[in-house]
Amino acid sequence: RQWAGLGLGGGRKKKRPASAPVVDPSMEITILLQANLCPNTVRAGDEGDGGWWLCGADSAVGNDCVVYSFGIRENFSFDHYVAGRGCTVHGFDPSPAGLHSEASYESITPTGTGHGKGQAIYHPYGLGNDGTYEPGTVPFRWPGMGYLRDSNSNQWTLKTLPRIQTELEHDRITVLKVDIEGGEWDMMTDIIQSDWDELCMELHFYPGYFYVFETDTGGLNIIEEHHATHQIQRPEQSVGSVSRIQLLKKLNEVADMFLWEPNGDDCVEVYFRRKR
């Protein structure tokens, strides 16, 4: 394999080697880092899992602020932080860990920010193609497949982003956080087409097929190795294929990336601001 041993390793950023093979332009994307958009980023929540970055002190603040937080489990320090800035934050998670957190999630008490009193509202459904899924049947894409399959131990309800916004009567979202263990790719078109100010999202890449590098200017270079070089078909083919590269190109047409971080060997947390 041409790219064996390259890309993210141990959750560290790596540069693309000068000797790397030439790639078909349709199989790669370079996303520029627009750090000047957000020179004073703010950490919302814990330093590790559960916390995310905001563009700055003026992001997600005030009683008109609406935050959607997909993927809660037992760590919702991000949600606690934005509620403390006066936002109404809606948390979505149908998993057992998420449901177990519902009472404590809705008891979030904003403290001492001077931005007004926010609110946290829990919804026992997730983001995905509309439907009710029996145990073990929720669609997945690696590397979320183990977690999603195992946590789908009870019947799940999933809803698309447009449906959720219609039901909750939100035309615009201040901050959209998506951490749904590989399910983000099937929802990417809806995410691109919805109206939000900031997007915090974890991207999951199939190991051995995708390689992520840091550009010389701090941006993202993502490469898909052609499937013909592999003997085994991706398990995700059973739920239909998606073009991650093309979806990211469409996302970058409507929004600028102001920060990114690796999270393990095959995941990247990305942060975008919509172009206005």
Side-chain angles (χ1 to χ4, degrees):
R1 300 214 325 263
Q2 298 182 90
W3 296 91
L6 302 181
L8 296 177
R12 300 186 306 274
K13 295 180 179 180
K14 290 184 178 180
K15 302 291 187 182
R16 180 174 175 174
S19 59
V22 176
V23 179
D24 185 320
S26 67
M27 305 296 283
E28 75 169 314
I29 181 174
T30 296
I31 304 176
L32 298 178
L33 178 68
Q34 306 281 4
N36 60 306
L37 289 174
C38 307
N40 300 302
T41 54
V42 174
R43 186 67 177 179
D46 294 345
E47 287 298 322
D49 282 347
W52 296 79
W53 292 98
L54 295 175
C55 183
D58 294 332
S59 300
V61 62
N63 293 331
D64 293 332
C65 165
V66 174
V67 176
Y68 280 14
S69 180
F70 291 101
I72 301 298
R73 298 172 74 171
E74 67 284 341
N75 189 330
F76 39 88
S77 60
F78 167 80
D79 308 64
H80 192 286
Y81 182 91
V82 293
R85 292 163 65 89
C87 299
T88 297
V89 54
H90 295 264
F92 305 84
D93 197 327
S95 72
L99 294 172
H100 183 73
S101 300
E102 180 175 1
S104 54
Y105 185 89
E106 293 204 325
S107 68
I108 287 176
T109 303
T111 57
T113 64
H115 297 302
K117 185 176 181 180
Q119 183 182 15
I121 303 170
Y122 189 91
H123 302 274
Y125 54 86
L127 182 64
N129 290 315
D130 283 330
T132 300
Y133 297 87
E134 298 302 321
T137 66
V138 67
F140 56 77
R141 296 186 184 279
W142 206 99
M145 65 182 191
Y147 173 75
L148 289 182
R149 181 186 59 232
D150 296 341
S151 61
N152 179 210
S153 54
N154 298 316
Q155 189 182 77
W156 279 18
T157 296
L158 302 181
K159 299 181 182 182
T160 63
L161 185 56
R163 179 181 174 185
I164 293 170
Q165 287 188 254
T166 298
E167 291 181 355
L168 299 182
E169 300 182 342
H170 295 137
D171 294 329
R172 184 172 176 178
I173 304 166
T174 310
V175 178
L176 175 60
K177 187 217 85 180
V178 181
D179 185 5
I180 54 175
E181 305 303 327
E184 68 275 2
W185 297 108
D186 292 307
M187 296 296 101
M188 189 68 78
T189 297
D190 285 345
I191 290 170
I192 293 167
Q193 294 176 351
S194 63
D195 191 6
W196 39 264
D197 294 332
E198 293 184 31
L199 172 66
C200 315
M201 179 166 55
E202 187 170 73
L203 300 176
H204 298 76
F205 296 97
Y206 199 90
Y209 286 82
F210 291 88
Y211 301 90
V212 179
F213 300 102
E214 180 185 27
T215 69
D216 290 338
T217 56
L220 261 175
N221 177 225
I222 302 170
I223 297 163
E224 179 177 7
E225 187 175 9
H226 195 276
H227 64 83
T229 62
H230 297 265
Q231 301 300 315
I232 301 175
Q233 202 175 36
R234 299 182 212 174
E236 71 176 13
Q237 297 298 331
S238 62
V239 293
S241 62
V242 295
S243 174
R244 289 167 169 81
I245 299 298
Q246 296 308 312
L247 287 171
L248 288 175
K249 288 181 178 181
K250 291 179 180 179
L251 173 61
N252 202 198
E253 288 175 0
V254 302
D256 293 313
M257 184 181 71
F258 65 88
L259 192 150
W260 73 277
E261 294 181 325
N263 186 4
D265 289 345
D266 304 297
C267 302
V268 176
E269 293 176 359
V270 293
Y271 299 84
F272 283 83
R273 282 191 68 185
R274 181 171 284 281
K275 300 174 182 178
R276 298 291 183 188

